[in-house]
Amino acid sequence: MELRKDPITRSWVITGDDVPDNPPRPEPFCRFCPDSREPPQLIASMSGTPGAPWSARAVVHPNALYHIEGEATRRGDGIYDRMRPIGAHEVLVENPSHDRHLWTASDLEIEQFLLLAAQRIQDLKGDGRFKYVGIYKDHGTSAGQEFEHPASQLTATTFVPRRVLYELRAAREYFQSKERCVFCDILSQEMKQDLRVIELRGDFVAMCPYAPRVPYESWIMPRTHEAAFERFGLNRGGTMRDLGALLRRTLQRIRTITEEFHLVLHTSPNSLHRSGNLGYWKTIDEDYHWHIEIMPVLASKAKSYTFKEVYYSPLSSETAVKRLRDARIEP
Ligand SMILES: [Zn+2]
Ligand SMILES: [Zn+2]
Ligand SMILES: [Zn+2]
């Protein structure tokens, strides 16, 4: 595998021919359960809730796309750029129980998982080679779920992924003209209008964005401005409990519509790289604002949206939010 840069969009892709033709056979046991016969290599573990050996833990991805050793050694190839896939690829096991998901676990368990995520991001940002550390979760066959055990994935990369790069550039431009954070402005208008807000919990808001890419797209954001998720999570004791509860309840709402979804955490890039060729980013702490995006996968639209030139969502956010708000969920 290698990384190649699209000279037009300036975004990196990972490509190569070393994926086996036949998908690996399903394993007869779960390697992420506490009693696994072949446990993956452990990176970090959160102490257990009563009766559990641990509450959440980070392990090396068994088929990692990115590898931690070496230098990325960027090379030219005519007008093109390529580099080795140096980075980190971890599985964040959300819960020791094979069947306790982010929408069924306790708020304490979800809090531990979120704190683990924050710790892993902070730790990897200490490595000057990595420009971005992101966390995502694909749930459901159409969404590309990889493991049965409740898990999210983390990647640390020597580049900033495309969607985040677009957001960073746009947020910086908005800040340059208005001297305000675009996410804070969105939040204040949404709170005032109350047309697309799903729910408030502590400092957090769950809402449907004004211009959704898919039906029932939902975002979760802190109302207090902060660019870096990990700084927020590790410095403000107790906030991750509220975030965990809101995440659980929002996923429960979405699961009344569909079981499959993509979830991604967007946070600021590694500030050790301020002098890089992206020209970033003196104002990043002021102009960017971390958030979680949830993209439900609806059966009729499965897999299609990523290939579209223009996102088409045949349901407005104002209609979506009514259904999500009124969804019957646990307290
Ligand atoms: Zn398991
Ligand atoms: Zn903000
Ligand atoms: Zn985002």
Side-chain angles (χ1 to χ4, degrees):
M1 290 292 186
E2 66 173 5
L3 290 159
R4 293 183 180 180
K5 190 178 186 180
D6 176 347
I8 299 168
T9 62
R10 292 183 284 162
S11 54
W12 289 88
V13 302
I14 187 160
T15 183
D17 297 316
D18 36 356
V19 175
D21 284 341
N22 300 319
R25 273 181 299 153
E27 289 168 341
F29 59 92
C30 172
R31 63 166 82 220
F32 301 110
C33 275
D35 58 355
S36 164
R37 278 178 283 147
E38 283 176 46
Q41 191 187 332
L42 182 66
I43 298 167
S45 193
M46 301 296 283
S47 57
T49 46
W54 39 270
S55 52
R57 60 187 197 172
V59 299
V60 175
H61 192 293
N63 305 302
L65 281 176
Y66 302 98
H67 297 276
I68 202 100
E69 299 88 18
E71 289 297 323
T73 49
R74 200 154 157 168
R75 301 189 306 280
D77 177 5
I79 66 162
Y80 301 124
D81 273 310
R82 70 205 311 186
M83 62 184 171
R84 291 173 53 215
I86 299 300
H89 193 177
E90 303 179 1
V91 177
L92 303 186
V93 185
E94 293 157 4
N95 198 294
S97 296
H98 195 75
D99 57 0
R100 281 175 81 76
H101 291 274
L102 293 178
W103 51 92
T104 51
S106 71
D107 293 350
L108 174 64
E109 290 170 316
I110 304 171
E111 177 187 34
Q112 291 299 302
F113 161 69
L114 292 167
L115 287 170
L116 172 74
Q119 286 179 10
R120 292 308 304 137
I121 294 174
Q122 189 182 51
D123 184 40
L124 286 158
K125 277 187 173 176
D127 189 326
R129 297 172 302 165
F130 303 147
K131 284 193 178 149
Y132 189 76
V133 188
I135 287 175
Y136 60 95
K137 176 178 179 66
D138 298 317
H139 187 79
T141 317
S142 311
Q145 181 179 350
E146 221 179 330
F147 308 111
E148 242 186 60
H149 197 101
S152 298
Q153 299 197 19
L154 170 151
T155 56
T157 47
T158 51
F159 59 95
V160 179
R162 177 169 167 161
R163 165 82 188 172
V164 185
L165 196 54
Y166 288 171
E167 285 184 7
L168 289 166
R169 287 182 183 141
R172 185 178 49 180
E173 271 169 36
Y174 188 93
F175 189 84
Q176 277 167 352
S177 67
K178 306 215 179 187
E179 295 193 346
R180 294 193 307 265
C181 160
V182 63
F183 297 92
C184 284
D185 275 8
I186 289 173
L187 280 171
S188 89
Q189 177 161 340
E190 292 299 340
M191 300 288 286
K192 225 174 280 160
Q193 288 189 322
D194 198 22
L195 288 170
R196 286 168 292 270
V197 172
I198 303 168
E199 187 179 355
L200 305 177
R201 185 97 178 197
D203 192 39
F204 300 96
V205 182
M207 55 167 276
C208 294
Y210 182 71
R213 288 165 290 175
V214 293
Y216 304 103
E217 176 173 356
S218 302
W219 295 354
I220 297 178
M221 281 195 261
R223 279 193 279 177
T224 306
H225 177 82
E226 172 60 78
F229 165 77
E230 67 283 3
R231 196 162 51 201
F232 191 100
L234 298 174
N235 292 348
R236 294 173 206 242
T239 51
M240 291 296 102
R241 185 77 63 98
D242 284 334
L243 176 62
L246 187 57
L247 182 59
R248 173 176 60 76
R249 292 170 58 82
T250 305
L251 290 173
Q252 281 180 10
R253 288 178 203 281
I254 285 170
R255 287 176 58 81
T256 65
I257 316 282
T258 173
E259 293 194 351
E260 309 198 317
F261 62 87
H262 305 280
L263 180 152
V264 59
L265 167 71
H266 283 164
T267 183
S268 56
N270 195 348
S271 54
L272 287 178
H273 279 276
R274 269 171 205 276
S275 60
N277 63 347
L278 296 164
Y280 44 107
W281 223 267
K282 288 197 193 74
T283 58
I284 194 152
D285 281 337
E286 290 158 286
D287 67 39
Y288 197 62
H289 191 128
W290 73 264
H291 56 277
I292 292 171
E293 299 178 9
I294 306 167
M295 306 270 280
V297 179
L298 271 66
S300 56
K301 310 230 331 140
K303 287 183 178 170
S304 63
Y305 70 88
T306 39
F307 303 111
K308 287 206 171 81
E309 295 287 306
V310 177
Y311 291 109
Y312 163 62
S313 171
L315 184 82
S316 73
S317 295
E318 294 77 14
T319 305
V321 79
K322 287 193 189 102
R323 201 150 158 205
L324 291 173
R325 264 186 201 161
D326 297 344
R328 294 236 241 144
I329 59 169
E330 294 151 27

